[in-house]
Amino acid sequence: MGRWVLSRRINDRLTGQIGRVSGVLIMSECPEGLSYREEVTVQIPGQPAMEGTREYLWKDAGDSVDVHFSDGRFFHRFKLGQATPHAEHWCDPDQYDVEYDFKDWPVWGATWIVKGPRKDYKMSSLLVKEARRKEAGGT
């Protein structure tokens, strides 16, 4: 499937801070569907940079994609055939709402709005296919 350059902005409305994330997304075929793996550096003001990974499994669900956590638990579902599909996930006591943006595929994005008693942030990600970025003169 390929590699995407990932850039993410996290606007934490509770603290007023803006966090930044940079790295890569690697998507590859696996027996269950598509393996989704992020390898990133997280930068939050006033703190040292942190390295991290995030993994999901995207499974074919007919006219939708089922997204699962790496341990197999269901996360959310989004519809295929839409330029900007929406999905949601309730993780008591927090609500996670996402809008994907596939209008310019293979450049795409996801915006999460997360709200709960101790959470209130907007996380926006942009993913640019590596080969496409190199063709455009990027690094």
Side-chain angles (χ1 to χ4, degrees):
M1 284 287 310
R3 292 171 60 97
W4 281 259
V5 175
L6 180 151
S7 60
R8 177 175 295 142
R9 176 185 160 113
I10 304 167
N11 180 359
D12 186 332
R13 293 173 241 199
L14 292 179
T15 65
Q17 291 185 317
I18 303 290
R20 303 213 182 268
V21 178
S22 59
V24 295
L25 161 64
I26 303 153
M27 290 191 94
S28 55
E29 292 184 34
C30 65
E32 299 85 10
L34 291 177
S35 169
Y36 173 117
R37 179 180 172 84
E38 293 181 4
E39 298 174 357
V40 300
T41 301
V42 180
Q43 299 194 305
I44 297 171
Q47 297 184 26
M50 298 174 281
E51 303 294 318
T53 60
R54 179 183 302 200
E55 296 184 53
Y56 299 106
L57 177 62
W58 287 19
K59 293 184 178 184
D60 181 353
D63 67 346
S64 301
V65 172
D66 283 352
V67 179
H68 292 257
F69 294 104
S70 60
D71 66 4
R73 290 175 299 130
F74 180 78
F75 184 18
H76 65 275
R77 171 181 284 169
F78 66 88
K79 284 267 199 201
L80 293 172
Q82 298 177 356
T84 56
H86 296 262
E88 59 186 44
H89 175 75
W90 172 252
C91 184
D92 196 15
D94 305 316
Q95 178 66 38
Y96 293 76
D97 295 304
V98 63
E99 179 179 274
Y100 289 97
D101 183 348
F102 297 117
K103 291 186 300 266
D104 296 321
W105 181 265
V107 174
W108 62 287
T111 300
W112 286 91
I113 303 293
V114 180
K115 293 192 181 249
R118 292 180 292 185
K119 296 180 183 176
D120 185 3
Y121 65 88
K122 179 179 180 179
M123 184 170 69
S124 301
S125 302
L126 176 66
L127 297 115
V128 178
K129 188 88 181 222
E130 260 191 353
R132 184 179 178 107
R133 186 170 190 242
K134 288 177 184 173
E135 289 168 10
T139 55

